[in-house]
Amino acid sequence: MIAALAVSPEAVAGMPPELHRLYWLLQQGHLGKVNAISMADLYERWSGQRLPRDARGKTAVDVPTLSRHMRALIDDLRDIHGVPVMSSARHGYWIVASDAELEEVVHEFRARGLKSLTTAARLKKISLADEVQQIEMELRGGSK
């Protein structure tokens, strides 16, 4: 198991119950991309509520709206507790289970960040390098 998966017992013990429930649900059955779970199925298992389905088995409700709170909890798992949860529209949600998957997560988050920074630079009509330089100054406590 990779070091990134190690979550201290104190961190787990300090999680609010609904976050703890989501963490253990992902930890117990959804390690690695091959074990990813769809948002609808994750929401159902986490909440204990069965979502209405149409004749083809597709959810008949707006899952992203229902799961907004759960997605915020997933962000907390990542940002506060350092749990490497990954998601994709194609596969669903899973906890990273290998160094290769961790690198994929890091690459995806960097790519998202660079895309946002590039957009910000274009809106300000400056180069990406200048935008990064301004951010570096802000981080060091300089002016905007």
Side-chain angles (χ1 to χ4, degrees), residues 6-132:
V7 177
S8 74
E10 296 82 21
V12 173
M15 289 179 186
E18 60 186 359
L19 187 61
H20 189 266
R21 185 171 63 249
L22 181 59
Y23 168 72
W24 283 110
L25 174 65
L26 288 167
Q27 183 72 24
Q28 295 305 311
H30 305 288
L31 293 177
K33 186 188 283 189
V34 297
N35 295 309
I37 183 171
S38 72
M39 174 57 82
D41 290 342
L42 182 59
Y43 180 81
E44 285 180 337
R45 290 183 187 169
W46 174 79
S47 69
Q49 298 175 5
R50 181 84 176 132
L51 297 173
R53 308 248 176 191
D54 64 17
R56 297 174 303 172
K58 297 257 187 195
T59 56
V61 295
D62 185 10
V63 174
T65 299
L66 286 176
S67 62
R68 187 168 292 140
H69 179 66
M70 189 173 58
R71 287 193 318 273
L73 292 175
I74 289 169
D75 287 343
D76 286 351
L77 284 175
R78 287 183 191 133
D79 300 341
I80 297 170
H81 301 282
V83 179
V85 179
M86 188 59 186
S87 64
S88 74
R90 187 173 180 203
H91 296 95
Y93 290 84
W94 70 94
I95 292 180
V96 169
S98 70
D99 289 333
E101 283 187 355
L102 182 60
E103 284 303 314
E104 185 179 332
V105 170
V106 169
H107 176 76
E108 184 168 326
F109 279 109
R110 284 182 177 168
R112 288 180 196 173
L114 282 173
K115 182 173 179 3
S116 295
L117 288 174
T118 300
T119 300
R122 285 183 181 147
L123 291 171
K124 291 168 40 177
K125 297 181 176 32
I126 62 173
S127 70
L128 178 58
D130 288 343
E131 178 67 12
V132 170

